[in-house]
Amino acid sequence: MSALRTVLANSPLSAPLKRGELTGGRVRLDFVEVAPVHKAFAPMVRQQAYDLCELAVVTALQAVAHDRPVVLLPAVVASRFQRGCLIASRARGPLAPRQLAGKRIGVRSFTQTTGMWVRAHLAADYGLATERMHWLTRDSAHVEQYADPGFVEHLPGDKSLPDMLRDGDIDAAILGNDLPQGDEFFPVIADAATRDMAWWQRHRFMPINHMLVASREACRRDPEAVREAYRLLLQADRLIPAMADAPRPTLFGFDSLRIPISVVIDACVAQGLLPRRLSVDEVFGPAEDILGALPD
């Protein structure tokens, strides 16, 4: 039996695997707890610190484009709606999306997937091209080979984005799971929930946040173990209760992901997040060689 060092955030998908309720005869998933999970991303793409790892979709595509030794598997392990993640300070007065041109917007990293989706929505909903706004960041990209575009500024210091909003250093900010509670801040896109549901009705998938990658070394060393790990994830996904005609945060399979990944690639190219346009075949080709014809 092969052991695969695995990083997955705590979720309904990972719970039965971490509790040992689902096991395989060919592989054992040795879970490494990393919190928040984005702290595992740079070690994975830079040093292949794990055999299997949850990875933000933008980082995963950048890893493919820059030939980092990871294999992107057709497994979306986390998705969410993103429009409500763009906030501003109530004390500093109203701010509408169409007023964002020329404004200073803070985001943890320009490559953060939530930021990518918010910028894509601003472009689609309001015609706001990414370069029309001034982006201020704290962190660099997980993929070292990537350099931010010229309209992105890296800020020194350790002041939090909410504090920067309070002090007027920035006009708006994009946060994810760390969105502050209370009424001190307000969503810049006031009808975010309505627009998000309309987007889902049109596209039929939730905006992808995180997918699963395997290290090339693990795939070379024991491809059958990687295949069985994927099958276990499929089994775990099928244990999550289904809700009729409702968005689902997980998604599996090459066929199911061709259009969603194409949408993400288009947004990344438009925002200067990729050095060139990737094809879906390039993105998933290595995984198809390893996984073969698995059920979606």
Side-chain angles (χ1 to χ4, degrees):
M1 176 179 288
S2 291
L4 298 180
R5 282 172 51 83
T6 302
V7 175
L8 282 173
N10 293 324
S11 71
L13 178 69
S14 65
L17 298 169
K18 292 187 174 185
R19 291 195 297 257
E21 295 168 7
L22 291 176
T23 59
R26 185 70 182 78
V27 67
R28 184 182 74 249
L29 301 181
D30 287 347
F31 284 101
V32 180
E33 297 300 325
V34 180
V37 73
H38 70 77
K39 291 187 179 296
F41 297 170
M44 184 63 191
V45 297
R46 296 180 186 185
Q47 295 98 34
Q48 296 75 64
Y50 314 103
D51 297 311
L52 294 173
C53 187
E54 184 170 333
L55 198 64
V57 65
V58 171
T59 298
L61 292 175
Q62 289 183 331
V64 172
H66 291 282
D67 196 28
R68 306 311 303 143
V70 297
V71 174
L72 180 58
L73 304 180
V76 174
V77 299
S79 300
R80 68 160 174 254
F81 293 121
Q82 312 282 359
R83 286 175 174 86
C85 295
L86 177 64
I87 62 172
S89 171
R90 199 174 299 279
R92 298 194 167 272
L95 180 66
R98 297 190 190 279
Q99 298 174 308
L100 289 173
K103 298 296 186 183
R104 301 159 299 169
I105 304 178
V107 63
R108 178 173 56 78
S109 168
F110 185 68
T111 59
Q112 184 183 23
T113 293
T114 296
M116 177 277 292
W117 280 114
V118 169
R119 292 189 295 268
H121 294 327
L122 290 174
D125 295 353
Y126 306 101
L128 279 169
T130 296
E131 60 269 21
R132 292 181 61 195
M133 293 159 278
H134 186 55
W135 299 91
L136 298 100
T137 69
R138 282 290 183 215
D139 297 347
S140 57
H142 300 300
V143 176
E144 292 177 290
Q145 290 78 7
Y146 175 79
D148 289 335
F151 50 82
V152 178
E153 179 183 353
H154 182 75
L155 294 176
D158 56 4
K159 187 187 290 189
S160 70
L161 291 177
D163 283 342
M164 293 176 69
L165 282 174
R166 293 182 183 100
D167 296 343
D169 301 325
I170 53 178
D171 302 296
I174 297 171
L175 292 100
N177 292 329
D178 50 351
L179 270 170
Q181 302 299 307
D183 60 2
E184 181 183 7
F185 303 102
F186 66 92
V188 175
I189 302 175
D191 57 348
T194 299
R195 287 179 178 271
D196 282 336
M197 286 304 298
W199 192 94
W200 178 75
Q201 290 287 349
R202 184 165 64 254
H203 295 281
R204 305 307 290 186
F205 67 91
M206 291 184 76
I208 297 168
N209 266 59
H210 298 169
M211 297 185 66
L212 188 70
V213 299
S215 72
R216 282 186 195 164
E217 170 56 26
C219 294
R220 182 203 62 77
R221 185 177 69 243
D222 196 339
E224 180 54 39
V226 175
R227 284 192 287 271
E228 186 160 302
Y230 182 84
R231 293 188 190 100
L232 289 172
L233 278 168
L234 275 176
Q235 292 176 40
D237 184 61
R238 289 165 183 159
L239 294 176
I240 300 174
M243 299 177 63
D245 200 38
R248 190 173 178 87
T250 56
L251 187 62
F252 287 80
F254 295 114
D255 291 342
S256 298
L257 278 162
R258 289 192 71 86
I259 290 176
I261 287 298
S262 295
V263 170
V264 176
I265 290 171
D266 288 345
C268 287
V269 170
Q271 297 174 29
L273 289 165
L274 291 173
R276 57 184 173 81
R277 183 177 296 277
L278 302 171
S279 70
V280 176
D281 289 339
E282 179 182 7
V283 169
F284 283 135
E288 288 181 313
D289 291 341
I290 294 160
L291 297 181
L294 287 175
D296 287 358

